Amino acid sequence: MRETDLLGGFAKGLRVLEAFADARPKLSIADVARLTGLDRATTRRCLLTLAHLGYADYDGKFFSLTPRVLRLGHAYLSATPLPRIVQPHLDRLSQDVAQSASVSVLDGSEIVYVARASYQRVMSINLMPGSRLPAYCASMGRVMLAALPPEEALVRIRQSELCAFTPSTLTEPEDLMDELVRVREQGYAIIDQELELGLCSIAVPLKDERGQVLAALNIGASAAQIPAGELAGHFLAPLRKTADVLGPMLR
């Protein structure tokens, strides 16, 4: 692809959109310029354009995104068949194991939930299709990172803000790469309270008929009910059974 084929203004607008997050729902022009690396004049035009089109609100000092932005994510969820394919199987898996089950895809250094069957709430945040989590400390993220060439996985890890969400969170790239080797060898990933205290999860890859990893499937459980060391014994077989059923349906 030639650089002359790209719309620079459109790319800058997307960078401005991506500057907003759960931890920073309201941003000033200066905030967005700092986060995106764009100059203030360009940042201002992008933000005012978003406000004019209804994608942002402006109170004279701070900008915040409006629900209209959800149209962008809904377009993806509507266009891809993955959520429709996996949801009935997720619902069945969740009922069978009496735990919540989810499917996500990898987007850069994050995972994006595309389907979820909630059985009981074990996290403080409410996960749903469209929710994002850092890949490096999520079981589904590690499964998908492990499927990448090691050099690409390392790039994505280094693109992350390697925050210690709990005392157990792995944040050193070398430690994370060692963990990916283990995940690759055993074919599944287990997270023991690295994302949130009290939460454990186990994930397996979802592969198409050619063996390409397209997504990941997980089960989350309360560490007080099922310690991380017991997750594989409880849930690995039903996870793999569901993944095997879904494989031929994935494109």
Side-chain angles (χ1 to χ4, degrees), residues 96-222:
D96 289 345
V97 301
Q99 301 291 341
S100 296
S102 307
V103 169
S104 71
V105 295
L106 187 63
D107 180 23
S109 60
E110 297 179 313
I111 62 169
V112 181
Y113 281 71
V114 296
R116 181 165 170 81
S118 295
Y119 189 85
Q120 58 184 359
R121 187 166 175 177
V122 294
M123 294 187 71
S124 62
I125 58 174
N126 186 25
L127 295 174
M128 63 189 72
S131 295
R132 291 175 171 267
L133 291 176
Y136 73 92
C137 59
S139 59
M140 291 188 286
R142 287 193 183 162
V143 160
M144 290 184 283
L145 288 173
L148 299 174
E151 59 275 11
E152 184 177 346
L154 182 57
V155 168
R156 298 198 189 205
I157 286 172
R158 286 178 170 163
Q159 288 173 342
S160 306
E161 295 182 19
L162 298 174
C163 302
F165 292 97
T166 77
S168 300
T169 311
L170 295 181
T171 57
E172 292 297 326
E174 295 79 9
D175 295 337
L176 288 164
M177 292 301 293
D178 289 343
E179 182 62 22
L180 294 187
V181 171
R182 186 178 298 108
V183 170
R184 195 176 299 115
E185 291 175 348
Q186 66 190 17
Y188 63 91
I190 288 178
I191 293 291
D192 184 7
Q193 304 183 76
E194 290 191 48
L195 185 62
E196 183 172 314
L197 291 175
L199 173 69
C200 297
S201 66
I202 178 172
V204 298
L206 286 180
K207 303 178 181 179
D208 63 15
E209 291 181 305
R210 297 172 298 170
Q212 295 291 112
V213 175
L214 300 183
L217 166 69
N218 93 332
I219 288 172
S222 165

Side-chain angles (χ1 to χ4, degrees), residues 7-19:
L7 287 173
F10 182 62
K12 292 172 183 175
L14 292 175
R15 285 167 64 184
V16 167
L17 271 177
E18 291 176 349

